Amino acid sequence: MTLDRLFRKSEPVLEKRGVHLDLKGLPPTVRRMVELLKLFAAMRYNVVLVEWEDSFPWTVDERFRSPTAYTPEDVSLFVKTADELGLELIPLVQCLGHMETPLSIEDYHHLRELPDSEQSINPLAEGARKLVQDMVDDVLKLMPNVKHCHLGGDEAWAFGSHPDTKKYVEEHGKGALYLHHIGPILDSLNGRGIRPILWHDMMIEWESDALRALAKKCDLMPWGYQGHPDTTKSHFKTEYIKRFHEHGFTQWGGTAYKGAEGYDSDVPDIPLHTENAKAWSEVGQRFDFVGVVATAWSRYAVDTVQCNPIDSSLDSMLNVAVILHDGEHAEGGVEECVDALGDVGERERFEKCKDVMNRLAALRRRGWDQVQHSRQMLVLGEMDERRTSARNTKMGLKCVVLLERSVEKCDELAVEVRSAFEGLIDPVWINEYLATRIEPLREELQEIKERVDAFSA
């Protein structure tokens, strides 16, 4: 069973077409993860960027593991299956920002760039580079034959904020500090025949000497998930890509098929991802990229809420796969992609998952609209007793009843969500997902009830 009917070009427009497995949120069960590899191959992806995070069976420090972390045997099965399918695996281990997994543990607080933030590591702290190297080595023990290793390196918001690093930047520049930290790790990987990759956003203001030095050591992956590099004013505009190209970088692109809609999104924005993937396909060809990876964020960071389950986003995953292969979407659009999922036995389950997530998203929007209306009326009534509609107990009770019903419907739908994703995701993660969606509405309901009661006291 294949999905070949969707692809119109005999040769792909991009050599490497990657898909991202972000395992720090809603990680698939082992069985489902292996099934997904087969699905990726059927969609003509040939690279899988694996962001293990707390799902990895860390030995450098077992406290880095989540409650459902995979076993070494699970990882070995994953690697073996990918190899059999001809999929290139690229592990991603963070090196600078997004270091919440280790830096949230007290024993590593001294490595923080800022004492009250676990987000960024201090590049000059004793033991900082060793921690990253140890984590890289830990992953490579179970993935020994990789050709590339992604080291993240993006969104280090506090970079250069510590008194020591601030002074270093003032004396030597941002590029020098970055290379001081990561340069030896890049050299170590290159010495093992592994080409490192880094996200690009921290380098857009670097001086030329630092860029040329980095270009010799690694590839760059410019990323941006909304809009076109030619028209955006954001960090991924074409002038940056052109500058990297002129400084000798081998580049990959980063688009998205899910997760870029917002940190708590439930369903993918298909038009947004379609246009962005087309943009990266075109820019990738223009600047001779190695390829483009369709990222799929399940959390924006380890300490934020989960978003967009994979199995309710398969339509977008396949739609982007076609774009990265052909340079344009399927002739019949995303509807044809949904229909084609039936060819590989995925349509019925996908539609069940997509349906419950669409309904959850709609219920949440309705509930928060009701919270907003109720609170506005309550504030008005408290400010001015002449506003009788705002102070009317019946009006207040009506708002409560509507919000109460929305919460009840969310609870009822939660049962269906658990059923839809059974066997695909461990219940602990589905329960967390649902709690972050429903409990805030329940808390709002309780507080609004108390304030309405106060009017009638």
Side-chain angles (χ1 to χ4, degrees), residues 27 55 79 107-108 122 150 175 190 304 322 343 385 406 411 426:
S55 287
V79 171
D107 290 351
Y108 299 92
N122 177 351
H150 203 308
N190 279 308
T304 61
V322 174
D343 296 351
E385 64 182 17
S406 290
D411 287 336
D426 191 283

Side-chain angles (χ1 to χ4, degrees), residues 3 5-6 270-271 274 314-316 318-319 322 329-343 347 350-351 354:
L3 296 166
R5 64 182 170 107
L6 291 176
I270 302 290
T274 298
L314 298 184
D315 52 349
S316 187
L318 181 51
N319 183 53
V322 174
H329 59 70
E331 192 170 12
V334 71
E335 293 80 10
E336 186 179 5
C337 292
V338 173
D339 184 63
L341 286 172
D343 296 351
R347 179 173 180 173
F350 157 73
E351 289 185 325
K354 186 65 173 281

Side-chain angles (χ1 to χ4, degrees), residues 41 94 108-109 136 195 229 257 334 360 389:
Q94 296 290 352
Y108 299 92
H109 285 187
V136 170
R195 183 67 173 173
Y257 80 80
V334 71
L360 178 62
S389 290

Side-chain angles (χ1 to χ4, degrees), residues 59 356 439:
T59 61
V356 294
E439 291 309 309

Side-chain angles (χ1 to χ4, degrees), residues 393-411:
T393 303
K394 289 183 178 179
M395 178 66 72
L397 288 174
K398 181 179 180 182
C399 293
V400 167
V401 168
L402 290 174
L403 180 54
E404 199 164 40
R405 184 56 186 145
S406 290
V407 172
E408 289 173 356
K409 286 183 177 179
C410 282
D411 287 336

Side-chain angles (χ1 to χ4, degrees), residues 359-414:
R359 288 157 57 201
L360 178 62
L363 271 175
R364 290 179 64 211
R365 284 194 300 270
R366 186 188 310 165
W368 285 110
D369 285 346
Q370 290 162 348
V371 168
Q372 178 179 328
H373 175 68
S374 299
R375 288 199 171 277
Q376 288 171 340
M377 293 292 285
L378 286 166
V379 169
L380 178 61
E382 290 168 349
M383 291 178 67
D384 189 343
E385 64 182 17
R386 295 174 300 169
R387 311 303 175 188
T388 56
S389 290
R391 293 185 62 83
N392 188 295
T393 303
K394 289 183 178 179
M395 178 66 72
L397 288 174
K398 181 179 180 182
C399 293
V400 167
V401 168
L402 290 174
L403 180 54
E404 199 164 40
R405 184 56 186 145
S406 290
V407 172
E408 289 173 356
K409 286 183 177 179
C410 282
D411 287 336
E412 293 167 2
L413 184 58

